[in-house]
Amino acid sequence: MRYPDFPVLITQPMMPLIQQGIESRFPFVHLNEQADRAGFLAKEGARFKGVVTGQGAASDDALFAALPNLRIVSSFGVGYDLVDARAAKARGIVVTNTPEVLTDEVADLAMGLLISTMRRLPQADQHVRKGLWLKGNFPLSDTLRGKTMGILGLGRIGKAIARRAEAFGLKLAYHGRSQQADMPYPYHASLVEMAKASDILMIIAPGGPSTRRIVDRAVMEALGPEGTLINVARGTLVDEPVMVEMLQSGALGAAGLDVFEDEPKVPEALFALENVVLLPHVGSASVHTRNLMGQLVVDNVIALAEGRPPLTPVPETPWPA
Ligand code: NDP
């Protein structure tokens, strides 16, 4: 089916499934291909009813103001920290994301990154590839045995990580803005206190202003020289320069990082460190899961175009409004 009355603005290059899904059904324009973006929006902005976006482009109130007939911002990914959902709500625009379909994939990756960091799997792989095994055994590593993992953000993904961590024999605790009555793990109202009580800090809370640099020097000092920090959330949650300095000095034991403050730029000081494992933001990045996420981006726009409720509105823009 085609929706000629529902033009869509695509703010950045998207995966082929999304581009084909939108381009085959809706009139569309790629905003990133416009040489004079402001001029284009001033002239054509009133046409658009949908925006399709992702982590590469911010959707703020200035953009919404330029699109007076906008009905939906369909954002790729469960994290929508670059979409100003409150401003959207004030203008009667619904924001959708792609929750649930990626939960297990990200939880798998988080556990894989944890084990890679503590058992030093990438370094062990290098030991074989570089022929170093012929000269001697790989050094013994840290262990998950007897360890406590504090989870910052016991949401959908945090709970899926907790289920996996239980199977690995880890003890668990969590921090969030509020205690969850139905959760069996100890709750810490203070993130520093949780870090003190933990060997591993698993970061999986949303990005955005409310969590910016929430993992600061005091938290990382509480985790300490024997501690392991795993970040699969957003780079903005951690004070990155302080983390780098503490990893260099050994004041923080080790880190497994899937996300960084200024992606794809990664602090080069990290490249030289043996106590880090670095991934290029691949938490949800399997073909299977990315296809499910992409389809959800398209299906949310189709729902609005057909006058149906959006499938996955974010909490700031509930439906019906
Ligand atoms: P949920 O909304 O289900 O869970 C978020 C959790 O974070 C909640 O338990 C919430 O608890 C807690 N939280 C929210 N705000 C704060 C705060 N200010 N301080 C402390 N805790 C807070 O989200 P998901 O589990 O689905 O996803 C979590 C995040 O993971 C996403 O926002 C995204 O940024 C990131 N992500 C990263 C991926 C990657 O590729 N590396 C892939 C997918 C997601 P409470 O309300 O009690 O505070």
Side-chain angles (χ1 to χ4, degrees):
M1 188 134 157
R2 288 188 57 83
Y3 308 93
D5 299 332
F6 208 94
V8 173
L9 188 64
I10 304 171
T11 64
Q12 63 178 87
M14 305 295 293
M15 64 188 287
L17 185 146
I18 295 178
Q19 296 206 171
Q20 284 155 17
I22 296 295
E23 291 172 6
S24 63
R25 294 178 174 91
F26 300 91
F28 66 92
V29 170
H30 288 275
L31 185 58
N32 55 297
E33 290 172 5
Q34 302 305 312
D36 174 13
R37 183 185 143 130
F40 171 79
L41 288 174
K43 196 161 153 250
E44 303 280 344
R47 279 206 287 135
F48 296 99
K49 294 188 177 165
V51 158
V52 164
T53 191
Q55 273 296 306
S59 298
D60 55 14
D61 198 49
L63 178 68
F64 303 152
L67 306 171
N69 293 308
L70 187 62
R71 309 249 328 267
I72 179 171
V73 177
S74 183
S75 184
F76 182 74
V78 69
Y80 51 97
D81 36 303
L82 295 185
V83 180
D84 189 340
R86 286 209 175 81
K89 164 83 179 154
R91 291 181 183 273
I93 300 160
V94 67
V95 176
T96 60
N97 62 346
T98 63
E100 310 283 1
V101 293
L102 46 57
T103 295
D104 286 324
E105 205 74 82
V106 182
D108 288 353
L109 191 284
M111 289 307 292
L113 182 54
L114 171 63
I115 296 168
S116 292
T117 305
M118 294 189 73
R119 300 297 308 276
R120 305 181 66 228
L121 300 187
Q123 296 89 332
D125 175 275
Q126 287 297 313
H127 193 77
V128 178
R129 285 176 199 257
K130 289 180 176 163
L132 298 172
W133 196 12
L134 297 167
K135 295 175 192 156
N137 286 334
F138 186 69
L140 302 183
S141 73
D142 199 351
T143 179
L144 270 68
R145 309 279 76 71
K147 295 278 168 38
T148 297
M149 178 162 85
I151 301 179
L152 163 53
L154 193 66
R156 287 170 294 236
I157 302 171
K159 289 186 179 81
I161 294 172
R163 284 196 294 277
R164 286 158 175 75
E166 280 194 61
F168 279 92
L170 290 169
K171 293 192 268 306
L172 293 164
Y174 72 100
H175 167 77
R177 291 165 301 183
S178 49
Q179 184 161 11
Q180 301 181 41
D182 50 346
M183 281 292 113
Y185 320 118
Y187 170 71
H188 291 267
S190 154
L191 179 54
V192 172
E193 291 306 317
M194 183 176 79
K196 261 187 211 154
S198 302
D199 307 289
I200 301 157
L201 176 61
M202 175 63 73
I203 305 170
I204 186 63
S210 79
T211 56
R212 185 169 166 72
R213 297 199 168 174
I214 186 175
V215 178
D216 58 11
R217 186 183 293 277
V219 173
M220 289 185 271
E221 278 175 355
L223 198 55
E226 305 296 321
T228 298
L229 178 154
I230 304 293
N231 190 2
V232 284
R234 290 285 182 266
T236 53
L237 277 86
V238 178
D239 189 330
E240 198 167 76
V242 167
M243 178 188 68
V244 172
E245 174 207 310
M246 290 180 67
L247 285 165
Q248 281 173 321
S249 71
L252 176 63
L257 307 168
D258 185 42
V259 287
F260 303 87
E261 192 159 4
D262 187 21
E263 297 172 8
K265 292 189 198 128
V266 175
E268 288 191 17
L270 290 173
F271 298 172
L273 297 184
E274 273 291 306
N275 53 348
V276 298
V277 174
L278 308 173
L279 301 181
H281 200 149
V282 291
S284 65
S286 71
V287 173
H288 169 84
T289 291
R290 285 286 170 88
N291 281 345
L292 292 175
M293 293 163 64
Q295 195 57 51
L296 200 44
V297 168
V298 176
D299 288 347
N300 270 303
V301 184
I302 292 175
L304 260 271
E306 291 185 349
R308 291 186 284 112
L311 305 174
T312 47
V314 302
E316 292 91 334
T317 63
W319 194 275

